[in-house]
Amino acid sequence: MTDTLRCAIVGTGAIAHSHAAAIAAYPHAQLVAVTDHSRATAETFAVAFGGAAVYDDLAALLAAEHPDVVHVCTPPGAHPAQVIAAFAAGAHVVVEKPPAPSLDQLQEMTDAATAADRQLAVVFQQRTGTAAAHVKRLLDSGALGRPLVAQCQTLWYRDAAYFAVPWRGRWETEGGGTTLGHAIHQIDLLAFLLGAWTRVEGRLWRLDRETQTEDVSTATVVFEGGVVAQVVSSTLSPRETSSIRIDTEKATVTVDHLYGHGHDNWRITPAPHVEPAEAAGWDLTGPEEGSGHLPLLRDVFDALRSGAPLPATAEAPARSLEIVAAIYASADADGQVITPAVLAAHPTHRTSFASTVIDLRPPR
Ligand SMILES: NC(=O)c1ccc[n+]([C@@H]2O[C@H](COP(=O)([O-])OP(=O)(O)OC[C@H]3O[C@@H](n4cnc5c(N)ncnc54)[C@H](O)[C@@H]3O)[C@@H](O)[C@H]2O)c1
């Protein structure tokens, strides 16, 4: 058991605050160093979180500090090189979503982890929380019967000013539209609950915003065992919600929230034929912990210190990225069915998600 994990953060912007807070909350971790393109940002951040050392770049940080864990909190395009450099320096890595801008680059990252015998933990914090764990146990154990049909909605609102930032809404700089940038959280939670996907059909739409990428996408995703999920992703929706609904043989499970969930956000409704005593066994009881970076990083740190495998909440970095890639690949082929085998051998969509968007905006 390692005593105290020496952590470093690269990219001290918005989400890095959640990492620093989780490091501070864990009794056996310490933030020792930070670096950012903007030294001023890194210095302000270091002062706010206990005076970590500030470095001009990641190479200098790694050479001087030899951290146990590097938290990669930069934009997705910077993740692959930084993650691979951290592994080469002998650190474990915690990388923010989406873990990489392409499946091939994610493969290079996981290969580097294997070569260095280090762990790559991915941040999809929607998988965490006691309610998601409870529902996953019920589904995995078969207590709710076979899952049949599902809906997954990321209906968010981002105005024109949001897309006016130069790197947003462009394939080259953002990598994808709302499917990759926003909906991946909910798609990831859906796949965490339902498991491996077997086919995807998708379409990308541009209905209003000035973007090169999509502002809406629609897709059908089929999971192993024959669960059919309808996935709708939007940045045009004034009443915002993140929702999943899974209808099984015995119950409907729903979660409705925006950026995080606790017990109150989840509901399990039994089918008419289910006896009340059986349904009572599905109740969410016991202490509540909401979803978030705190429980995710606590469980990752526990695993790294003890040498145990990563928790299910932090492993399988490719699962939801593959579904997103398959939606883009399908849309680029006029809605063609994409299977894991087709995606694995795909000539373009393992390296770039750039795809065909159907533009339905009225002339301006
Ligand atoms: N898990 C979540 O809920 C969540 C929420 C928001 C963002 N994110 C993810 O976190 C990552 C960062 O997003 P953010 O919102 O914090 O962005 P941000 O723009 O607020 O912060 C990114 C920081 O990285 C720095 N930076 C950029 N390129 C760099 C490089 N090559 N080397 C060093 N520093 C560099 C920037 O100067 C900036 O300070 C993205 O992958 C994003 O998708 C996750």
Side-chain angles (χ1 to χ4, degrees), residues 25 105 113 249 294 329:
Q105 284 166 298
E249 288 173 314
L294 226 63

Side-chain angles (χ1 to χ4, degrees), residues 10-19 35-39 41-42 56-58 72-79 82 95-100 123-126 156 167-168 180-181 184-185 259 293 296:
V10 52
T12 51
I15 206 62
H17 289 75
S18 302
H19 288 252
T35 181
D36 192 285
H37 258 346
S38 154
R39 190 171 173 104
T41 304
D56 283 335
D57 58 41
L58 182 60
V72 177
C73 300
T74 47
H79 293 178
Q82 292 174 338
V95 66
E96 266 298 339
K97 56 62 56 178
V123 178
F124 278 119
Q125 78 274 16
Q126 302 284 321
W156 291 5
W167 61 267
R168 288 214 176 101
L180 177 71
I184 197 169
H185 272 301
Y259 300 133
H293 283 72
L296 176 63

Side-chain angles (χ1 to χ4, degrees), residues 6-222:
R6 300 175 66 259
C7 300
I9 296 179
V10 52
T12 51
I15 206 62
H17 289 75
S18 302
H19 288 252
I23 294 166
Y26 190 78
H28 306 288
Q30 190 191 356
L31 181 61
V32 294
V34 297
T35 181
D36 192 285
H37 258 346
S38 154
R39 190 171 173 104
T41 304
E43 280 173 354
T44 308
F45 187 92
V47 169
F49 289 100
V54 177
Y55 290 86
D56 283 335
D57 58 41
L58 182 60
L61 183 157
L62 292 170
E65 296 283 350
H66 303 292
D68 298 310
V69 188
V70 173
H71 297 245
V72 177
C73 300
T74 47
H79 293 178
Q82 292 174 338
V83 167
I84 290 168
F87 285 136
H92 297 289
V93 174
V94 176
V95 66
E96 266 298 339
K97 56 62 56 178
S102 78
L103 290 169
D104 280 349
Q105 284 166 298
L106 180 57
Q107 187 63 51
E108 288 168 22
M109 289 157 55
T110 51
D111 288 348
T114 306
D117 194 20
R118 301 285 88 182
Q119 300 280 6
L120 175 65
V122 66
V123 178
F124 278 119
Q125 78 274 16
Q126 302 284 321
R127 298 182 196 172
T128 62
T130 41
H134 175 75
V135 165
K136 183 162 171 55
R137 266 193 306 274
L138 290 175
L139 288 167
D140 288 352
S141 69
L144 303 181
R146 193 160 64 90
L148 301 168
V149 59
Q151 294 177 43
C152 174
Q153 299 175 343
T154 303
L155 305 178
W156 291 5
Y157 189 82
R158 298 292 183 268
D159 62 11
Y162 175 89
F163 288 106
V165 174
W167 61 267
R168 288 214 176 101
R170 306 195 64 76
W171 294 111
E172 202 182 324
T173 44
E174 197 169 14
T178 186
T179 319
L180 177 71
H182 308 114
I184 197 169
H185 272 301
Q186 227 47 35
I187 293 171
D188 184 80
L189 175 57
L190 181 78
F192 178 64
L193 294 174
L194 293 179
W197 65 282
T198 59
R199 55 183 276 160
V200 166
E201 292 154 76
R203 296 281 188 182
L204 306 177
W205 312 94
R206 192 179 304 114
L207 302 185
D208 187 79
R209 303 293 190 255
E210 282 299 325
T211 63
Q212 191 186 52
T213 57
E214 80 283 9
D215 53 21
V216 167
S217 71
T218 49
T220 303
V221 181
V222 181

Side-chain angles (χ1 to χ4, degrees), residues 297-324:
L297 292 177
R298 177 199 61 211
D299 294 349
V300 167
F301 291 155
D302 280 349
L304 295 181
R305 288 181 67 240
S306 68
L310 287 176
T313 47
E315 47 116 61
R319 187 167 44 209
S320 48
L321 196 64
E322 281 180 5
I323 294 174
V324 167

